Amino acid sequence: MLYRFVLSILLLVAGASACRADAGPDALLADLAIGVTPVHPREFIFTDKGAAHLCGEAVGPATRSYHGFYVAMHEILDGWALRLEDGTELSAVTADEARVRPDRMERVWRLPSGETVTATVTLLDRSDGFRILYEGVPAGTFAFLPRVDMRFLWKVTRPAYLVEWREGVLRVAREDRPSRGEGERHPPWLAVAVSGADDFAADGRHLSSTYPKSAARNAMERANPYLPGEIRGRIPLRVPSGRVEVVVATGDDSDTAADAAGRLQA
């Protein structure tokens, strides 16, 4: 009797697994998604199977100074936000929930109008870059705001930056390191390309930031991310809701980084 019971359970499990397999690999990955809310925050980390990784809080403000996008253990980008025409800012801090899968992370915002905006963050394999795809963005103007922090993992500095806006792509590098040094593995230039964007408004501020989990360890609790400015665009009024695709890429010089962003967009 026990043998028959165990065999029945095994057959049921096998049948359920077969049904999920029939649904395809995307359904299998969706089954592995971890839901995160502000009440129960969780950190995440993705790797591109090469030199790059992206880590942070799925929902809520950054809690460690080493949260961000890195190549060869050097931070490139600290974080980002998308601001809508009515001033609503969509960022990790304001997200209502997140779903973290093995291959991507999805953040969700519920707007006062009742509309929902979703952003899918995907680290692209061995590319030293990643994509953010916003869906359900209301018609009107928008602005993408990257936060830059270029430094080695364990160093906290406040460098000056070179900022260029050319051919619809934002390019940023440290003023004191515009080219790759001898023996350095990390690219010195960042490029940010945003679909539907045609304007840039410079900012140029450093933010003095403190991170609670780092402070609790009394290690690297402060950093100074930099706001180069706003990449601006518009979703036409005839479009009820639109998509905004952001591609973050890196390179050895300004044009190489911009070309990499174009290739990733394609």
Side-chain angles (χ1 to χ4, degrees), residues 93-258:
V93 177
T94 62
D96 290 289
E97 63 178 289
R99 295 184 290 269
V100 183
R101 298 168 30 142
D103 62 328
R104 72 192 73 169
M105 176 176 62
E106 300 167 348
R107 288 189 176 122
V108 179
W109 298 266
R110 295 179 182 85
L111 306 181
S113 62
E115 298 170 296
T116 297
V117 179
T118 301
T120 303
V121 183
T122 309
L123 199 59
L124 305 171
D125 285 355
R126 298 179 180 85
S127 67
D128 293 347
F130 67 99
R131 182 182 79 157
I132 311 160
L133 179 62
Y134 293 92
E135 297 180 280
V137 179
T141 59
F142 64 81
F144 184 75
L145 296 81
R147 293 192 312 276
V148 176
D149 195 359
M150 294 184 172
R151 57 184 173 86
F152 181 65
L153 175 65
W154 302 116
K155 292 184 179 179
V156 178
T157 59
R158 185 174 170 166
Y161 289 94
L162 299 170
V163 178
E164 301 177 0
W165 171 255
R166 288 192 290 113
E167 300 171 338
V169 180
L170 175 66
R171 307 119 183 271
V172 183
R174 281 179 58 148
E175 198 171 83
D176 60 339
R177 293 182 180 176
S179 59
R180 194 189 294 252
E182 185 177 353
E184 289 184 340
R185 297 181 58 208
H186 65 283
W189 281 86
L190 162 74
V192 182
V194 181
S195 65
D198 56 8
D199 189 27
F200 175 72
D203 191 327
R205 287 178 294 147
H206 283 88
L207 302 176
S208 181
S209 303
T210 302
Y211 304 89
K213 289 182 181 177
S214 296
R217 297 172 59 242
N218 195 28
M220 295 178 58
E221 66 270 21
R222 293 184 178 85
N224 301 281
Y226 176 76
L227 299 175
E230 303 177 0
I231 304 173
R232 295 174 171 174
R234 173 183 292 274
I235 294 177
L237 292 176
R238 64 179 180 274
V239 179
S241 65
R243 291 157 55 108
V244 176
E245 182 185 54
V246 181
V247 170
V248 174
T250 57
D252 282 351
D253 55 49
S254 175
D255 289 338
T256 301

